[in-house]
Amino acid sequence: MKIGFPRALYYFDYFPFWAGFFHQLGIEVVTSPPTHRRIMEQGLKKASDETCLPLKLLAGHIQALRDVDAIFLPRMVSVEADTYNCPKFLGIPESLFPAVPQGMPVLTVTLNWRKGKRRVLKDLTVFGVELGKSKSDIRKAFLEGQEWQKRYQDSRGSGWDFEESIRKIERTTKGLADLPAISSIPPKVQTIDRQRIALVGHSYLTQESYANLNLVARIRERADVELTEHVEQKEVDTHLLGLRKKLFWNHAKQIFGAGNKFVKDQEVDGIIYLSCFGCGTDSMIQELLARKAREQHKPYMVITLDEHSGEAGLVTRLEAFLDMVERRRAHEGNISTYGERLDRDSNTL
């Protein structure tokens, strides 16, 4: 059996689990190609105008899957205790049925870790039995998926490269290689005199190079880049302390915790928050993080993506931001006469 897995949205965080799960069950997983213009256009035609850019991309990737027996669209309700995924995740697959090619079967299963490991395994067992697999094989596949996901997450840190990591996992699902030691990827060399810029945001935006107009590579031309994924979970949790109310969106917790860590890190010269139109959680999290940046006088910029493919506006803003950070590094003590008035309630960054 050959199933299609769209290269969008939860692909950027949870593909290793599903790849390991299906690999153990002897099911081949085929992913859609990297995003290109036609995929974007197909997604815009099939998805609702009111939804966010990542869901529109997901609709396009669904249509890009060819020569598969079914398309897999899991409903990822929660991936850890006391949190939920974005509400738009919960509407999958129903909200994307119009994008599924006519006659193509859709496979789905609910993954809800709020209800515990036993419930997750039970739901996967029901799903696996429908595919004709035995309960013992499904349990082994569940453990294999967890192992692949753990090794993937453990590898995240300085030097982690998403494209390289995921390429090796995809080769393994096709039987071309053994599961790699992801952590063996050589770390990138950071130089002292270059700027260090933190890029925070949802992984399905920061790692989606077509939609973000190759933003990571553009920053790396002039600076070393720190990502949300580079921050260890214990540091994320530490920098969530002090909030008056716990965040219950999983991605929002990761972004704010990592972003707050970057704000306080004296070696990080500036922060760029990557968001997209239509993202409800970002509307709150980016404001919370902006207040933290103001308190520390940390250069901070928000980039909001939409479906436009023109690069000029992005390049201009990015160069202006990096130039400003460079001047600040060169004249660190030369603060504006308004510097003392910068605080969390100011609109001046």
Side-chain angles (χ1 to χ4, degrees), residues 240-252:
L240 287 171
L241 301 176
L243 286 173
R244 298 176 65 181
K245 183 179 180 181
K246 290 184 178 179
L247 299 173
F248 50 83
W249 300 302
N250 178 61
H251 266 161

Side-chain angles (χ1 to χ4, degrees), residues 168-182:
K168 290 185 177 182
I169 292 173
E170 287 181 335
R171 283 175 55 83
T172 304
T173 63
K174 297 175 182 176
L176 300 178
D178 295 331
L179 181 63
I182 295 173

Side-chain angles (χ1 to χ4, degrees), residues 68-303:
V68 296
D69 300 311
I71 294 175
F72 181 59
L73 296 174
R75 189 192 313 278
M76 308 283 286
V77 176
S78 172
V79 294
E80 63 175 298
D82 301 325
T83 65
Y84 278 110
N85 280 329
C86 168
K88 290 176 181 173
F89 276 53
L90 310 189
I92 300 172
E94 288 85 355
S95 62
L96 292 170
F97 275 159
V100 178
Q102 190 172 10
M104 177 67 71
V106 174
L107 301 177
T108 188
V109 61
T110 298
L111 202 72
N112 187 355
W113 280 96
R114 284 180 64 93
K115 296 186 176 180
K117 179 179 178 180
R118 183 172 298 180
R119 178 56 184 267
V120 171
L121 181 57
K122 182 179 179 181
D123 289 337
L124 288 175
T125 301
V126 173
F127 173 65
V129 169
E130 292 175 351
L131 297 177
K133 306 300 179 181
S134 69
K135 292 184 179 180
S136 61
D137 287 341
I138 296 167
R139 183 173 183 81
K140 290 178 183 176
F142 174 63
L143 297 176
E144 187 74 1
Q146 284 190 303
E147 174 63 21
W148 284 33
Q149 185 70 26
K150 183 177 184 302
R151 292 173 64 175
Y152 175 73
Q153 291 181 331
D154 288 347
S155 71
R156 295 180 173 188
S158 60
W160 173 79
D161 185 283
F162 171 78
E163 294 293 343
E164 182 67 18
S165 299
I166 217 70
R167 190 160 44 242
K168 290 185 177 182
I169 292 173
E170 287 181 335
R171 283 175 55 83
T172 304
T173 63
K174 297 175 182 176
L176 300 178
D178 295 331
L179 181 63
I182 295 173
S183 58
S184 65
I185 296 172
K188 293 182 175 61
V189 177
Q190 294 184 339
T191 54
I192 297 175
D193 58 339
R194 280 166 59 88
Q195 301 177 38
R196 288 187 68 193
I197 300 297
L199 178 64
V200 298
H202 297 278
S203 56
Y204 45 78
L205 289 177
T206 58
Q207 302 296 340
E208 173 51 79
S209 58
Y210 181 85
N212 69 28
L213 306 177
N214 214 13
L215 179 60
V216 176
R218 293 180 190 279
I219 301 174
R220 281 179 175 155
E221 290 176 358
R222 295 184 51 181
D224 294 325
V225 180
E226 298 289 340
L227 299 171
T228 304
E229 294 84 355
H230 292 166
V231 182
E232 294 183 3
Q233 189 59 47
K234 61 181 180 181
E235 285 193 286
V236 170
D237 295 338
T238 298
H239 287 85
L240 287 171
L241 301 176
L243 286 173
R244 298 176 65 181
K245 183 179 180 181
K246 290 184 178 179
L247 299 173
F248 50 83
W249 300 302
N250 178 61
H251 266 161
K253 286 179 59 178
Q254 300 298 320
I255 293 170
F256 181 80
N260 196 19
K261 184 262 183 187
F262 290 138
V263 166
K264 297 176 181 176
D265 189 341
Q266 296 301 314
E267 295 184 356
V268 172
D269 300 305
I271 298 174
I272 298 176
Y273 193 112
L274 187 62
S275 181
C276 66
F277 279 117
C279 182
T281 60
D282 275 357
S283 64
M284 185 183 75
I285 300 303
Q286 79 85 11
E287 175 59 25
L288 289 175
L289 197 56
R291 294 183 182 189
K292 295 292 184 182
R294 290 187 191 111
E295 290 174 353
Q296 299 294 325
H297 292 191
K298 181 79 74 174
Y300 179 85
M301 177 173 71
V302 178
I303 293 178

